[in-house]
Amino acid sequence: MLQLVDICKDYKNGHRALNNINFNVERGEFVFIVGASGAGKSTLIKLLLKEENATSGRIILDNREITHLKQKEIPYLRRNMGVVFQDFRLLPNKTVYENVAFAMEIIEQHPKQIRRQVPMVLAMVGLSERAEHYPHQLSGGEQQRVSLARAIVNNPQLLICDEPTGNLDPNTSKDIMEKLNDINYRGTTIIMATHAREIVDDAQKRVITLSNGEIISDQQKGGYNYED
Amino acid sequence: MLQLVDICKDYKNGHRALNNINFNVERGEFVFIVGASGAGKSTLIKLLLKEENATSGRIILDNREITHLKQKEIPYLRRNMGVVFQDFRLLPNKTVYENVAFAMEIIEQHPKQIRRQVPMVLAMVGLSERAEHYPHQLSGGEQQRVSLARAIVNNPQLLICDEPTGNLDPNTSKDIMEKLNDINYRGTTIIMATHAREIVDDAQKRVITLSNGEIISDQQKGGYNYED
Amino acid sequence: MKINTFRNFSRDAIHNIWRNSWMSVASVSSVVAVLLIIGLVLIFMVNVQYIASFVEDKIELKAFLELDVEYEEIIEIKEQLESNEMIGTIIYESKEEALEKFSQQIGERKDLISGLEENNPLQNSFILTIKDPSQAGEIAKSIERIKGVEEVKYGEEIVDKVLKSTRFIRSLTLIVTVILAIISIFIISNTIKLTVYGRKKEISIMKYVGATNWYVRWPFLIEGAILGLIGALLALLILGYSYYYFTGMAQHTALSIISNSLVPAGQMINQIKWYFVIGGLSIGVIGSILSMRKFLKV
Amino acid sequence: MKINTFRNFSRDAIHNIWRNSWMSVASVSSVVAVLLIIGLVLIFMVNVQYIASFVEDKIELKAFLELDVEYEEIIEIKEQLESNEMIGTIIYESKEEALEKFSQQIGERKDLISGLEENNPLQNSFILTIKDPSQAGEIAKSIERIKGVEEVKYGEEIVDKVLKSTRFIRSLTLIVTVILAIISIFIISNTIKLTVYGRKKEISIMKYVGATNWYVRWPFLIEGAILGLIGALLALLILGYSYYYFTGMAQHTALSIISNSLVPAGQMINQIKWYFVIGGLSIGVIGSILSMRKFLKV
Ligand SMILES: Nc1ncnc2c1ncn2[C@@H]1O[C@H](COP(=O)(O)OP(=O)(O)OP(=O)(O)O)[C@@H](O)[C@H]1O
Ligand SMILES: Nc1ncnc2c1ncn2[C@@H]1O[C@H](COP(=O)(O)OP(=O)(O)OP(=O)(O)O)[C@@H](O)[C@H]1O
Ligand SMILES: [Mg+2]
Ligand SMILES: [Mg+2]
């Protein structure tokens, strides 16, 4: 489904965030991306989202090269992915409900469908009671869960999560991971950058370990084995 | 050093975030505040910082009632505390170095002192190489560590950390916790809201557990014992 | 675009106006202010043009007839003048009327010319107004060619001066108006840029979630249209009412000479009404779309 | 405040100008635009006032002397007139000069009054200008009380009309200028509010870290002063140069009548220079301080 070939990423100030990254992800896989702070996990995700462009190398999604896309095509690429951002990225002027509904509105879903689906996902992440709150009225963990709700509401083919449990307590995290596992079982490919050792160790899924922008290990059924 | 007496906090929309909170913190203590997402940890910290005002109850710091303070006095209160914010709160137009130096500049420290102290703290959190970066050029964990560096640069009496390791990998977290322990040994009182079970369990310090805005346990040498 | 989507856009636009009420007030009031400036200067300009053409209309030719023309010849000359399309009104002035006028002009020193009645040295003449004052010279020449007309006078110097002055004032006010309009539009575009800048994060988030550029633009566009329209109507109201009040007030005081030569309020408002509405709308719509360009590229 | 702290403020102000270069350009250009509008209207107003006082200065009194006054008496009357502080220039016109003038006035029809030289019916007179035209009536009366003066004329009606017109124009342009100035200042304050709004997060963060209100304000204040000053100087440059160019250009064309009665460029620039500098500075400083108030309360 997803292939990265010889990807390098240099930021404008000359910093090399990714160096020669190669890996494939099959449809339906669940891949953890782990690594120290600053290893390049978010950068990798930003490349998939076309938030940043790779300096060299190729990215192929569903047999289609997306390394260079026209501005106009980017939105349609993004609609095929659900993304939980490390910094949440909620619309400040919309309530929790509206933020989640927005993701459905942009693909012009029927209002009836929206009214059925949104409360369902909000219940799934445990935020039914916060539906009418604005993002600034939420706790950190609640904002993170709204971001997750928005990412899954359209049942995307590919779900990308950057640190989706960084602001969540262990119990809530466990709940969320169970939900993600469900989603994965139903066929969604999941790529998840995380630091949570317990989660990675428990899951027994594929783990790609980054260090200083390079892949230092790529294990099926791995654990959080990154050591300095 | 710090006393909270019958603190309640209702947000404008009527939500009760804290209900009847009572506890004392002695000088030199290290207190964890744990609890599920939305339990009221950040709210508690916002009250200490006077970012929000308590609806009822009293807060006493160093034998001084700070429940009601004039606008003009708040900055001086904040200077006695170092704070790591859950959402980092770095100045977007200042580099990492400048962000940390800023905390020293506002208390009119001598430039020589600033030039000596700032690189030292940056090295402590492992960001010497990022000194000239702007916040938007940093990874999530790096921003979090800048926030920490800024909080400790003035050697505050009281250090308040809201989720200071939420975006950090276990190794970096462990480093940071060791540094915080050092600081605590040298006499600084530390109050830390966190979800990281490993950290809390390892530290064997006092743990206050919040649930739905109420204290449900307050243990010396406790562990992350919060269960639904 | 589905109808539901458009409904969402309108809903979002209206919600945003309410939720950013502070900014909405800033935008509307800036639009009002800019339109007031342009309107004020426009009214000033329209009035100056109006008064200038008033003055220009006062330019007269005087065609002096030969001393010995008969009554029938005068009629004939008159017919010829009437057939000339460039000539406006035609008034005949006999030499007796001319003398009477002259004696009135010199006023108190009338005694100086007493006794001239019997031996009137003046001529019969036609007093003509012309449609295009700048053509005065040529028209004068063509009239002089008519038999029985001795000479055509029109105070070349004065006509020249009047024309030059009015032309100068016309172009001066036009230039000032255009400059002020350009400056004002520049300011408002700055203001709109800043309001959009304050929401750049919002715009980029929409894009990150997969919205197309047009999907992001529409609510801003509708919002801009609504705010621009409100601004235009407010400005029109303020300006129209003040102008009406001002001309009305002036009428009953010593200023009536001036106010009477101003464009009437009703006519003025009618004249600028659509400019304002279209101006306000386009400021709002074009302003927001242009300002967004930069932030859509994420 | 320590000297190092002040150095930090200035450093931050300059850094911010660079780092928010887009916003700095917006602020400066808005200040320029606003000052251009105010300046344009101000120049217009100053010139109107200038021309109006020009016209008012043309108002003359004419004191006719009795027919039989002797030379010594005339000298005496002149001395009395000179001792009156309200009177400006004094010019003596003998009856021969008066007749000469009159015959010139009636121009071509001079023949009508030929032969009057021997039997001049006119009077000797003093032509006086007065310092305050609105006092014309009272001064005339006081002069009539002088022995040897028969009558004082000053064309009451015309003086009245002229005074009313100039007063009307003076107050009209003053009102328009003031209104435009208020509107412009309102717009700029909106613009500044919006730039500060775009940085409200920054302001609140400074406060959360323990900065006092004044500590947060100072860099903004210095930034505002610098940007305001740059704006003022740019506006002055544009305006001064255009005005200089315009009056210069007008001098060599048919418009010289008008340009000669305009305030010279040098004098104009000198007159508005400080207003602009102080205006720009205060817009920048006061604007940013006021706009920050709201965001400092955290
Ligand atoms: N815009 C940028 N300009 C320059 N350098 C950048 C930029 N963004 C990120 N970097 C650098 O690239 C490196 C990788 O950043 P990235 O955000 O991918 O890290 P990460 O693995 O997500 O870390 P974390 O776990 O802390 O979120 C970091 O060292 C960061 O400083
Ligand atoms: N400004 C606000 N207005 C209304 N409700 C609020 C506001 N801020 C927070 N809340 C609510 O108060 C409760 C406590 O929030 P708080 O931020 O203190 O939680 P927390 O313990 O820090 O959670 P987390 O671990 O997710 O950061 C939450 O349920 C939140 O929805
Ligand atoms: Mg990251
Ligand atoms: Mg929190």
Side-chain angles (χ1 to χ4, degrees), chain B residues 191-217:
Chain B
I191 297 176
M192 176 167 161
T194 188
H195 294 123
R197 183 195 295 266
E198 294 175 36
I199 289 176
V200 178
D201 288 345
D202 282 2
Q204 291 295 309
K205 307 272 182 188
R206 176 173 172 196
V207 179
I208 296 178
T209 308
L210 288 181
S211 175
N212 287 321
E214 300 192 18
I215 294 182
I216 55 168
S217 93

mmCIF file of all heavy atoms in Angstrom, chain B residues 191-217:
data_model
loop_
_atom_site.group_PDB
_atom_site.id
_atom_site.type_symbol
_atom_site.label_atom_id
_atom_site.label_comp_id
_atom_site.label_asym_id
_atom_site.label_seq_id
_atom_site.Cartn_x
_atom_site.Cartn_y
_atom_site.Cartn_z
ATOM 1 N N ILE B 191 5.926 20.207 42.047
ATOM 2 C CA ILE B 191 4.588 19.646 41.886
ATOM 3 C C ILE B 191 4.479 19.250 40.421
ATOM 4 O O ILE B 191 4.727 20.068 39.531
ATOM 5 C CB ILE B 191 3.502 20.684 42.230
ATOM 6 C CG1 ILE B 191 3.616 21.069 43.703
ATOM 7 C CG2 ILE B 191 2.113 20.139 41.913
ATOM 8 C CD1 ILE B 191 2.650 22.153 44.118
ATOM 9 N N MET B 192 4.153 17.988 40.176
ATOM 10 C CA MET B 192 4.208 17.500 38.802
ATOM 11 C C MET B 192 2.961 16.695 38.465
ATOM 12 O O MET B 192 2.669 15.682 39.102
ATOM 13 C CB MET B 192 5.464 16.618 38.662
ATOM 14 C CG MET B 192 5.599 15.959 37.319
ATOM 15 S SD MET B 192 7.278 15.291 37.174
ATOM 16 C CE MET B 192 7.045 14.114 35.847
ATOM 17 N N ALA B 193 2.205 17.193 37.470
ATOM 18 C CA ALA B 193 1.060 16.432 36.965
ATOM 19 C C ALA B 193 1.564 15.514 35.867
ATOM 20 O O ALA B 193 2.307 15.955 34.992
ATOM 21 C CB ALA B 193 0.006 17.390 36.397
ATOM 22 N N THR B 194 1.198 14.264 35.925
ATOM 23 C CA THR B 194 1.727 13.346 34.907
ATOM 24 C C THR B 194 0.832 12.127 34.732
ATOM 25 O O THR B 194 -0.002 11.803 35.588
ATOM 26 C CB THR B 194 3.147 12.868 35.261
ATOM 27 O OG1 THR B 194 3.661 12.133 34.164
ATOM 28 C CG2 THR B 194 3.137 11.982 36.501
ATOM 29 N N HIS B 195 0.996 11.483 33.572
ATOM 30 C CA HIS B 195 0.302 10.230 33.300
ATOM 31 C C HIS B 195 1.262 9.051 33.271
ATOM 32 O O HIS B 195 0.844 7.922 33.105
ATOM 33 C CB HIS B 195 -0.357 10.273 31.919
ATOM 34 C CG HIS B 195 -1.445 11.256 31.831
ATOM 35 N ND1 HIS B 195 -1.445 12.257 30.903
ATOM 36 C CD2 HIS B 195 -2.587 11.400 32.543
ATOM 37 C CE1 HIS B 195 -2.541 12.972 31.044
ATOM 38 N NE2 HIS B 195 -3.248 12.479 32.028
ATOM 39 N N ALA B 196 2.563 9.368 33.358
ATOM 40 C CA ALA B 196 3.545 8.310 33.086
ATOM 41 C C ALA B 196 3.647 7.364 34.274
ATOM 42 O O ALA B 196 4.301 7.644 35.278
ATOM 43 C CB ALA B 196 4.895 8.944 32.763
ATOM 44 N N ARG B 197 2.988 6.229 34.155
ATOM 45 C CA ARG B 197 2.936 5.266 35.261
ATOM 46 C C ARG B 197 4.345 4.861 35.713
ATOM 47 O O ARG B 197 4.642 4.851 36.905
ATOM 48 C CB ARG B 197 2.161 4.033 34.815
ATOM 49 C CG ARG B 197 1.986 2.986 35.912
ATOM 50 C CD ARG B 197 1.548 1.659 35.324
ATOM 51 N NE ARG B 197 0.231 1.728 34.708
ATOM 52 C CZ ARG B 197 -0.897 1.413 35.367
ATOM 53 N NH1 ARG B 197 -0.861 1.059 36.631
ATOM 54 N NH2 ARG B 197 -2.049 1.462 34.741
ATOM 55 N N GLU B 198 5.206 4.553 34.746
ATOM 56 C CA GLU B 198 6.562 4.115 35.086
ATOM 57 C C GLU B 198 7.278 5.124 35.977
ATOM 58 O O GLU B 198 7.922 4.780 36.959
ATOM 59 C CB GLU B 198 7.410 3.926 33.815
ATOM 60 C CG GLU B 198 6.937 2.787 32.917
ATOM 61 C CD GLU B 198 7.743 2.735 31.623
ATOM 62 O OE1 GLU B 198 8.955 3.024 31.679
ATOM 63 O OE2 GLU B 198 7.151 2.439 30.564
ATOM 64 N N ILE B 199 7.152 6.383 35.574
ATOM 65 C CA ILE B 199 7.853 7.434 36.315
ATOM 66 C C ILE B 199 7.352 7.506 37.739
ATOM 67 O O ILE B 199 8.140 7.537 38.701
ATOM 68 C CB ILE B 199 7.678 8.788 35.605
ATOM 69 C CG1 ILE B 199 8.484 8.805 34.307
ATOM 70 C CG2 ILE B 199 8.071 9.935 36.509
ATOM 71 C CD1 ILE B 199 8.309 10.044 33.490
ATOM 72 N N VAL B 200 6.042 7.524 37.902
ATOM 73 C CA VAL B 200 5.469 7.644 39.231
ATOM 74 C C VAL B 200 5.856 6.427 40.079
ATOM 75 O O VAL B 200 6.253 6.571 41.236
ATOM 76 C CB VAL B 200 3.939 7.780 39.150
ATOM 77 C CG1 VAL B 200 3.330 7.863 40.535
ATOM 78 C CG2 VAL B 200 3.572 9.009 38.322
ATOM 79 N N ASP B 201 5.737 5.265 39.475
ATOM 80 C CA ASP B 201 6.053 4.045 40.227
ATOM 81 C C ASP B 201 7.518 4.007 40.637
ATOM 82 O O ASP B 201 7.850 3.626 41.767
ATOM 83 C CB ASP B 201 5.719 2.810 39.377
ATOM 84 C CG ASP B 201 4.205 2.606 39.253
ATOM 85 O OD1 ASP B 201 3.458 3.232 40.054
ATOM 86 O OD2 ASP B 201 3.770 1.866 38.365
ATOM 87 N N ASP B 202 8.406 4.416 39.733
ATOM 88 C CA ASP B 202 9.838 4.406 40.031
ATOM 89 C C ASP B 202 10.202 5.367 41.148
ATOM 90 O O ASP B 202 11.077 5.078 41.971
ATOM 91 C CB ASP B 202 10.653 4.831 38.785
ATOM 92 C CG ASP B 202 10.760 3.684 37.786
ATOM 93 O OD1 ASP B 202 10.179 2.616 38.057
ATOM 94 O OD2 ASP B 202 11.423 3.871 36.751
ATOM 95 N N ALA B 203 9.538 6.550 41.148
ATOM 96 C CA ALA B 203 10.038 7.635 41.991
ATOM 97 C C ALA B 203 9.802 7.403 43.473
ATOM 98 O O ALA B 203 10.576 7.859 44.308
ATOM 99 C CB ALA B 203 9.392 8.953 41.553
ATOM 100 N N GLN B 204 8.705 6.716 43.806
ATOM 101 C CA GLN B 204 8.368 6.521 45.217
ATOM 102 C C GLN B 204 8.300 7.832 45.989
ATOM 103 O O GLN B 204 8.988 8.043 46.976
ATOM 104 C CB GLN B 204 9.395 5.580 45.878
ATOM 105 C CG GLN B 204 9.279 4.160 45.378
ATOM 106 C CD GLN B 204 7.928 3.537 45.762
ATOM 107 O OE1 GLN B 204 7.530 3.574 46.926
ATOM 108 N NE2 GLN B 204 7.209 2.986 44.783
ATOM 109 N N LYS B 205 7.472 8.727 45.454
ATOM 110 C CA LYS B 205 7.245 10.006 46.129
ATOM 111 C C LYS B 205 5.774 10.112 46.490
ATOM 112 O O LYS B 205 4.990 9.209 46.203
ATOM 113 C CB LYS B 205 7.597 11.163 45.180
ATOM 114 C CG LYS B 205 8.978 11.094 44.577
ATOM 115 C CD LYS B 205 9.991 11.761 45.470
ATOM 116 C CE LYS B 205 11.359 11.699 44.790
ATOM 117 N NZ LYS B 205 12.431 12.157 45.663
ATOM 118 N N ARG B 206 5.417 11.280 47.024
ATOM 119 C CA ARG B 206 4.019 11.496 47.378
ATOM 120 C C ARG B 206 3.181 11.580 46.107
ATOM 121 O O ARG B 206 3.564 12.229 45.134
ATOM 122 C CB ARG B 206 3.910 12.793 48.175
ATOM 123 C CG ARG B 206 2.486 13.174 48.519
ATOM 124 C CD ARG B 206 2.478 14.370 49.443
ATOM 125 N NE ARG B 206 1.127 14.877 49.641
ATOM 126 C CZ ARG B 206 0.888 16.075 50.144
ATOM 127 N NH1 ARG B 206 1.892 16.881 50.457
ATOM 128 N NH2 ARG B 206 -0.356 16.471 50.328
ATOM 129 N N VAL B 207 2.025 10.939 46.096
ATOM 130 C CA VAL B 207 1.143 10.952 44.929
ATOM 131 C C VAL B 207 -0.257 11.381 45.352
ATOM 132 O O VAL B 207 -0.879 10.762 46.221
ATOM 133 C CB VAL B 207 1.058 9.553 44.279
ATOM 134 C CG1 VAL B 207 0.118 9.598 43.069
ATOM 135 C CG2 VAL B 207 2.447 9.075 43.862
ATOM 136 N N ILE B 208 -0.755 12.449 44.716
ATOM 137 C CA ILE B 208 -2.142 12.864 44.945
ATOM 138 C C ILE B 208 -2.942 12.449 43.729
ATOM 139 O O ILE B 208 -2.591 12.790 42.601
ATOM 140 C CB ILE B 208 -2.235 14.393 45.145
ATOM 141 C CG1 ILE B 208 -1.472 14.803 46.403
ATOM 142 C CG2 ILE B 208 -3.686 14.848 45.206
ATOM 143 C CD1 ILE B 208 -1.452 16.280 46.672
ATOM 144 N N THR B 209 -4.013 11.681 43.955
ATOM 145 C CA THR B 209 -4.798 11.196 42.826
ATOM 146 C C THR B 209 -6.117 11.938 42.742
ATOM 147 O O THR B 209 -6.865 12.022 43.717
ATOM 148 C CB THR B 209 -5.067 9.682 42.977
ATOM 149 O OG1 THR B 209 -3.827 9.019 43.216
ATOM 150 C CG2 THR B 209 -5.701 9.128 41.708
ATOM 151 N N LEU B 210 -6.380 12.521 41.578
ATOM 152 C CA LEU B 210 -7.640 13.239 41.346
ATOM 153 C C LEU B 210 -8.565 12.371 40.505
ATOM 154 O O LEU B 210 -8.116 11.610 39.659
ATOM 155 C CB LEU B 210 -7.376 14.532 40.566
ATOM 156 C CG LEU B 210 -6.686 15.690 41.275
ATOM 157 C CD1 LEU B 210 -6.559 16.860 40.311
ATOM 158 C CD2 LEU B 210 -7.483 16.109 42.491
ATOM 159 N N SER B 211 -9.851 12.488 40.789
ATOM 160 C CA SER B 211 -10.837 11.852 39.916
ATOM 161 C C SER B 211 -12.067 12.738 39.889
ATOM 162 O O SER B 211 -12.607 13.069 40.950
ATOM 163 C CB SER B 211 -11.175 10.460 40.443
ATOM 164 O OG SER B 211 -12.201 9.915 39.647
ATOM 165 N N ASN B 212 -12.461 13.144 38.690
ATOM 166 C CA ASN B 212 -13.615 14.042 38.552
ATOM 167 C C ASN B 212 -13.541 15.250 39.484
ATOM 168 O O ASN B 212 -14.518 15.638 40.101
ATOM 169 C CB ASN B 212 -14.907 13.284 38.823
ATOM 170 C CG ASN B 212 -15.241 12.362 37.674
ATOM 171 O OD1 ASN B 212 -15.034 12.733 36.511
ATOM 172 N ND2 ASN B 212 -15.720 11.179 37.982
ATOM 173 N N GLY B 213 -12.357 15.815 39.576
ATOM 174 C CA GLY B 213 -12.216 17.046 40.338
ATOM 175 C C GLY B 213 -12.088 16.849 41.837
ATOM 176 O O GLY B 213 -12.023 17.830 42.575
ATOM 177 N N GLU B 214 -12.038 15.617 42.309
ATOM 178 C CA GLU B 214 -11.897 15.406 43.746
ATOM 179 C C GLU B 214 -10.634 14.595 44.036
ATOM 180 O O GLU B 214 -10.204 13.783 43.214
ATOM 181 C CB GLU B 214 -13.112 14.658 44.289
ATOM 182 C CG GLU B 214 -14.388 15.434 44.054
ATOM 183 C CD GLU B 214 -15.552 14.860 44.835
ATOM 184 O OE1 GLU B 214 -15.318 14.094 45.791
ATOM 185 O OE2 GLU B 214 -16.692 15.183 44.478
ATOM 186 N N ILE B 215 -10.065 14.798 45.246
ATOM 187 C CA ILE B 215 -8.902 14.006 45.634
ATOM 188 C C ILE B 215 -9.413 12.665 46.141
ATOM 189 O O ILE B 215 -10.197 12.612 47.091
ATOM 190 C CB ILE B 215 -8.094 14.700 46.748
ATOM 191 C CG1 ILE B 215 -7.481 15.993 46.195
ATOM 192 C CG2 ILE B 215 -7.012 13.774 47.287
ATOM 193 C CD1 ILE B 215 -6.622 16.746 47.174
ATOM 194 N N ILE B 216 -8.993 11.592 45.482
ATOM 195 C CA ILE B 216 -9.465 10.289 45.963
ATOM 196 C C ILE B 216 -8.376 9.546 46.713
ATOM 197 O O ILE B 216 -8.641 8.548 47.372
ATOM 198 C CB ILE B 216 -10.011 9.391 44.832
ATOM 199 C CG1 ILE B 216 -8.969 9.214 43.729
ATOM 200 C CG2 ILE B 216 -11.294 9.985 44.265
ATOM 201 C CD1 ILE B 216 -9.336 8.124 42.747
ATOM 202 N N SER B 217 -7.112 10.005 46.617
ATOM 203 C CA SER B 217 -6.085 9.433 47.480
ATOM 204 C C SER B 217 -4.905 10.365 47.524
ATOM 205 O O SER B 217 -4.668 11.145 46.601
ATOM 206 C CB SER B 217 -5.666 8.039 46.987
ATOM 207 O OG SER B 217 -4.554 8.142 46.131
#
